[in-house]
């Protein structure tokens, strides 16, 4: 009896070791792709810089040679994240694939391109909508009050602070659908915690926007809408999952 328990424990340790080894391999692949795309961002930094500078109505300056390096790092980092995200999602799917049924594998594989598309949509929304609203508000606030001089490094940091969070927030409905399809998340739980989620989203809205109540609401509103969409999508997936489970029980 003791020998059997010891054997089971050894098998569990081996399984954990194999899982950790597989996870490490997937993470190493992802880091390699990020490194390559990060390098590509350095190579094409001038083209990306010109694209992002085209609608700027003021002159971007640098205060020291080190700020030029920061511009390269910021642009290359964002490029690396955008390129690496779909690859990371695919590696994550390969990691969890052995524990899924054939149907779950087909369905979950569809989340990989959807994850990338929503990430890009979030970037575009943050860049073309939220960024312009906040920037215009700040410019109007300082008009005639101070002598405005913007450094390129701080401007690109500002863009990254606005766009990347929205790119991540746009993933919330998809993540809710995926977790619901696996039975980890329940839409009723999301409804029960709605008021706490709203509070967190409003706080995030205040962190992403200047101290203006109306502007904070404008930033928090899309986040709340995304949460409601997540509840809706989770409910649809949950109903389908319940129907399938009932059919399996009947058969």
């Amino acid at each position: 009896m003791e020998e059997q328990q010891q054997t089971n424990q050894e098998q569990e340790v081996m399984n954990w070791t194999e899982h950790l080894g597989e996870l490490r391999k997937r993470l190493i692949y992802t880091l390699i792709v990020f490194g390559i795309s990060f390098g590509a961002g350095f190579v094409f930094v001038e083209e990306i810089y010109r694209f992002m500078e085209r609608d700027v109505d003021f002159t971007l300056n640098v205060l020291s040679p080190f700020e030029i390096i920061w511009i390269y790092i910021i642009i290359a980092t964002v490029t690396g994240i955008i390129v690496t995200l779909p690859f990371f999602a695919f590696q994550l799917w390969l990691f969890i694939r052995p524990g899924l049924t054939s149907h779950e594998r087909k369905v979950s594989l569809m989340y990989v391109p959807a994850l990338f598309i929503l990430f890009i949509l979030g970037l575009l929304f943050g860049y073309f909508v939220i960024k312009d609203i906040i920037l215009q508000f700040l410019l109007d606030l300082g008009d005639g009050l101070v002598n405005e001089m913007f450094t390129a490094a701080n401007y690109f940091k500002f863009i990254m602070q606005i766009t990347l969070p929205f790119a991540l927030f746009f993933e919330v409905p998809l993540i809710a659908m995926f977790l619901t399809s696996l039975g980890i998340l329940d839409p009723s739980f999301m409804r029960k915690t709605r008021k706490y989620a709203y509070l967190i989203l409003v706080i995030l809205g205040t962190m992403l926007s200047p101290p203006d109540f109306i502007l904070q609401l404008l930033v928090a509103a899309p986040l709340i809408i995304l949460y409601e969409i997540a509840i809706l999508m989770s409910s649809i997936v949950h109903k389908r999952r319940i129907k399938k489970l009932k059919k399996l029980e009947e058969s």
Side-chain angles (χ1 to χ4, degrees):
M1 189 68 178
E2 293 180 358
E3 292 180 357
Q4 186 176 0
Q5 290 180 348
Q6 186 176 358
T7 303
N8 292 335
Q9 290 177 354
E10 290 176 354
Q11 288 179 348
E12 289 179 1
V13 171
M14 289 178 63
N15 289 333
W16 274 106
T17 304
E18 290 175 359
H19 286 312
L20 290 175
E22 181 69 16
L23 180 61
R24 184 179 63 178
K25 183 176 72 173
R26 301 298 172 191
L27 291 176
I28 290 173
Y29 290 162
T30 302
L31 288 174
I32 291 173
V33 172
F34 177 79
I36 295 172
S37 55
F38 183 87
F42 260 85
V43 173
F44 296 101
V45 69
E46 185 175 348
E47 289 80 1
I48 299 171
Y49 180 90
R50 297 302 176 196
F51 172 79
M52 298 179 71
E53 189 196 26
R54 76 194 192 287
D55 59 345
V56 177
D57 297 328
F58 42 82
T59 303
L60 296 177
N61 306 280
V62 291
L63 301 179
S64 69
F66 290 108
E67 284 199 12
I68 300 174
I69 297 298
W70 272 112
I71 295 170
Y72 274 75
I73 291 175
I74 292 170
I75 293 177
T77 300
V78 175
T79 303
I81 292 173
I82 293 172
V83 174
T84 307
L85 181 68
F87 182 81
F88 172 71
F90 182 66
Q91 292 299 311
L92 186 62
W93 179 81
L94 290 175
F95 176 71
I96 65 173
R97 183 181 62 173
L100 303 176
T101 63
S102 58
H103 176 72
E104 288 174 340
R105 290 175 185 175
K106 293 178 182 178
V107 174
S108 59
L109 186 59
M110 297 170 60
Y111 285 92
V112 176
L115 189 76
F116 178 67
I117 292 171
L118 287 175
F119 185 84
I120 296 299
L121 288 175
L123 278 179
L124 295 175
F125 180 79
Y127 183 79
F128 288 106
V129 180
I130 301 299
K131 183 262 295 181
D132 290 340
I133 293 174
I134 294 177
L135 185 60
Q136 190 59 50
F137 172 82
L138 294 174
L139 291 175
D140 292 341
L141 200 64
D143 189 24
L145 182 65
V146 294
N147 183 27
E148 297 168 349
M149 185 179 71
F150 300 94
T151 64
N154 286 333
Y155 177 71
F156 285 110
K157 285 179 184 177
F158 165 75
I159 291 177
M160 188 168 65
Q161 290 171 353
I162 296 298
T163 56
L164 283 182
F166 273 95
L168 297 175
F169 290 142
F170 266 60
E171 307 288 356
V172 171
L174 192 69
I175 294 172
M177 289 175 62
F178 180 69
L179 295 178
T180 304
S181 65
L182 297 179
I184 299 174
L185 185 65
D186 194 307
S188 61
F189 173 78
M190 296 183 69
R191 294 190 186 98
K192 290 178 182 177
T193 57
R194 179 185 273 128
K195 58 183 178 181
Y196 304 108
Y198 280 8
L199 177 62
I200 293 172
L201 294 174
V202 170
I203 293 173
L204 289 173
T206 60
M207 294 171 62
L208 292 173
S209 60
D212 180 83
F213 180 71
I214 302 299
L215 197 58
Q216 289 170 355
L217 288 180
L218 288 174
V219 175
L223 306 182
I224 294 173
I225 292 172
L226 285 170
Y227 186 80
E228 291 299 326
I229 293 174
I231 294 177
L232 177 63
M233 301 307 293
S234 176
S235 300
I236 294 172
V237 174
H238 183 69
K239 289 177 182 178
R240 290 179 179 177
R241 186 170 180 272
I242 294 298
K243 287 181 180 179
K244 289 178 182 178
L245 290 174
K246 286 182 179 179
K247 287 182 180 178
L248 289 174
E249 289 176 359
E250 291 173 358
S251 61

